[in-house]
Amino acid sequence: MAQLTDDCFAFSGPLLRLDDMEQLIHERIASVAETECVPLHGARGRIVAADVKAPVDLPPFDNSAVDGYAVRHADLLPDADTKLAIVGRMMAGGRAGPALDRGQAVRIFTGAAMPKGADTVFMQEDVTVEGSQVIVPKGLKPGSNRRLAGEDAHAGAVVVPAGTVLEAQHIALLAALGVAEIEVRRRLKVAIFSTGDEVVEPGTPRAGTAVYDANRYLLAELLERLGAVVTDLGILPDDPDRLAGALREAASGHDLIITSGGVSTGEADYVRTAVERVGNLVFWRVAIKPGRPVALGVIRGTSGRNAAFVGLPGNPVAVFVTFVRVVKPLLRRLAGARADKLVPLPVRAAFAYKKKKDRREYVRVALKRSADGEIEAIKHPQDGAGILTSLTETDGLLEFPEDITTIEPGARVGFLSYAALVG
Ligand code: AMP
Ligand code: MG
């Protein structure tokens, strides 16, 4: 399992800024070391273990980008049409033809190798053919419509760096380079459970004061989307003995254990008590809103390896926000992925908002194109941490940076889509 020291989450300060949190994760948390070789198909979401270099040039040879006529640019008249003799025909995948001599052209198709001597291709739409001759217009720049060997990727260049989370486009690039297998980090093993005497399984009868479990379903989906293998340990009662037992058991086979509920500072603080029995616990008061303190710790496994522990709040929206802004960076680090590059996109706020300085705040918004064509962000009317429909009826989160305190209607603000946040 992951190699974690007992005090890796220790942090002494009242509030942890998001940037400092990411730095701390980077410095203290080691990634899982084991790797495996997997075929390209099915590798989406896996994390590249070592820099991948292009084994060949891409494209592998100079070729035509269009259907047309390959010529020697030096033969063309600068101020008039040029008449050239058509001396051959080059198809994609066909044999390389003879070199072009002065005054000659070759009929060529997209993807066919450039004949020796030719450096420029006229599109077939732009020329006139007269029998075995082609008349090409003046003015085309040398090298037009020709793709050079290695212009996409040079042999030996790093094309997919270590830590890349493979997407369809990376897989396509590797395939184009002839790579059939890739070395990736092994998947993280993550155990999840919900806590709370009131929490019951959907699909089972619900007594008067019980609520159905939303968090395990939320966490399982978020984790699987990030490539983790999830073990669902169900719902545990508010009982420190049962919780401690479950945590100790899970620590041996998992890199990370995530719970929700039972970490509030009220008297029913069962998870804290349980974790302190079988490991080490610290609270991160991350300077974000929403986001109550998140409990982090290390649970001692029987094999001497420790599992990381994250105790999330009970309210589902708080679970979502703390997951995407706190757990995800930790998870990516553990998994060996590079830090996520989240770029908030500029939109126009359709509401006024006040916030505390030195805290990053996230507001659930729906996007709408306004009459003047600009994209506007409309704040959801309900912003309670338990309001799940405030997540399903919106498109993403506005991110208000630490240094600002007021947002006026019409202000340009940064939007992060749910797709970007959970991917
Ligand atoms: P807690 O942090 O345990 O005090 O829980 C805060 C709120 O979240 C309470 O209203 C709980 O009933 C609710 N809650 C806790 N766990 C879940 C869960 N798994 N699914 C839905 N709601 C939950
Ligand atoms: Mg609870």
Side-chain angles (χ1 to χ4, degrees):
M1 293 299 100
Q3 216 116 35
L4 298 168
T5 60
D6 243 27
D7 61 350
C8 64
F9 293 112
F11 143 75
S12 60
L15 271 182
L16 183 55
R17 284 171 67 104
L18 224 44
D19 294 338
D20 295 334
M21 179 200 75
E22 294 195 6
Q23 184 67 22
L24 188 151
I25 288 172
H26 183 77
E27 284 166 8
R28 307 260 192 92
I29 308 300
S31 306
V32 296
E34 300 95 320
T35 64
E36 58 184 319
C37 231
V38 296
L40 280 193
H41 186 190
R44 194 190 57 76
R46 301 304 299 270
I47 293 148
V48 176
D51 287 353
V52 182
K53 290 183 180 163
V56 292
D57 274 344
L58 186 67
F61 49 88
D62 294 359
N63 68 93
S64 177
V66 297
D67 292 342
Y69 292 84
V71 305
R72 297 158 26 124
H73 195 270
D75 294 348
L76 305 180
L77 302 172
D79 306 317
D81 291 354
T82 307
K83 200 180 255 191
L84 301 163
I86 304 168
V87 297
R89 197 177 163 85
M90 298 281 292
M91 314 285 288
R95 268 197 296 139
L100 275 198
D101 269 339
R102 208 163 167 184
Q104 294 183 334
V106 155
R107 176 75 169 120
I108 196 165
F109 295 90
T110 307
M114 290 291 284
K116 277 214 171 52
D119 55 16
T120 301
V121 183
F122 281 89
M123 286 172 71
Q124 61 191 23
E125 295 85 336
D126 297 339
V127 306
T128 312
V129 178
E130 281 178 2
S132 63
Q133 292 190 308
V134 60
I135 299 157
V136 303
K138 62 178 180 182
L140 191 65
K141 287 207 185 82
S144 292
N145 301 318
R146 169 195 56 174
R147 304 191 284 214
L148 286 174
E151 71 174 19
D152 195 346
H154 284 291
V158 173
V159 283
V160 185
T164 301
V165 180
L166 288 172
E167 291 295 342
Q169 58 270 34
H170 303 112
I171 291 170
L173 173 59
L174 292 167
L177 289 164
V179 175
E181 291 192 321
I182 179 153
E183 198 186 347
V184 295
R185 304 264 187 163
R186 73 157 166 80
R187 291 183 186 278
L188 286 186
K189 295 173 196 154
V190 183
I192 55 171
F193 54 83
S194 295
T195 72
D197 290 338
E198 79 282 25
V199 181
V200 297
E201 188 65 21
T204 65
R206 190 192 62 84
T209 58
V211 297
Y212 286 123
D213 190 352
N215 294 344
R216 258 165 61 243
Y217 289 85
L218 177 60
L219 288 173
E221 294 298 339
L222 291 171
L223 287 162
E224 279 169 5
R225 202 183 266 247
L226 296 175
V229 180
V230 176
T231 310
D232 184 351
L233 297 177
I235 303 162
L236 291 181
D238 288 319
D239 170 353
D241 291 333
R242 294 273 306 273
L243 289 170
L247 288 168
R248 184 184 289 124
E249 214 166 292
S252 292
H254 297 96
D255 303 295
L256 175 64
I257 304 169
I258 304 179
T259 66
S260 66
V263 290
S264 53
T265 36
E267 54 205 61
D269 208 357
Y270 306 103
V271 172
R272 177 200 278 257
T273 313
V275 174
E276 279 167 352
R277 275 191 215 166
V278 293
N280 216 341
L281 191 76
V282 295
F283 275 86
W284 279 4
R285 284 188 58 221
V286 185
I288 63 168
K289 186 190 172 186
R292 290 196 292 180
V294 179
L296 290 111
V298 169
I299 314 271
R300 290 183 288 273
T302 46
S303 56
R305 295 282 195 119
N306 295 332
F309 168 81
V310 179
L312 297 175
N315 281 308
V317 177
V319 171
F320 182 83
V321 175
T322 48
F323 184 92
V324 296
R325 289 323 263 128
V326 182
V327 181
K328 197 176 128 189
L330 172 66
L331 209 66
R332 286 181 68 110
R333 179 67 186 165
L334 276 171
R338 278 199 312 270
D340 204 0
K341 195 172 98 190
L342 273 180
V343 182
L345 299 176
V347 299
R348 190 166 69 193
F351 59 93
Y353 190 80
K354 286 206 184 318
K355 67 175 274 295
K356 262 199 184 146
K357 201 167 181 321
D358 295 328
R359 186 160 80 177
R360 213 182 287 186
E361 298 200 8
Y362 294 92
V363 175
R364 287 150 264 169
V365 295
L367 296 184
K368 192 184 111 227
R369 194 175 288 279
S370 70
D372 66 3
E374 279 252 7
I375 295 174
E376 271 190 347
I378 322 280
K379 185 174 171 298
H380 196 274
Q382 288 174 290
D383 52 17
I387 307 286
L388 265 167
T389 49
S390 70
L391 287 177
T392 61
E393 293 169 358
T394 51
D395 301 307
L397 303 176
L398 291 186
E399 183 178 59
F400 296 143
E402 285 83 351
D403 54 317
I404 61 167
T405 54
T406 39
I407 290 91
E408 302 290 351
R412 194 154 289 282
V413 289
F415 171 79
L416 292 165
S417 70
Y418 291 133
L421 284 165
V422 305

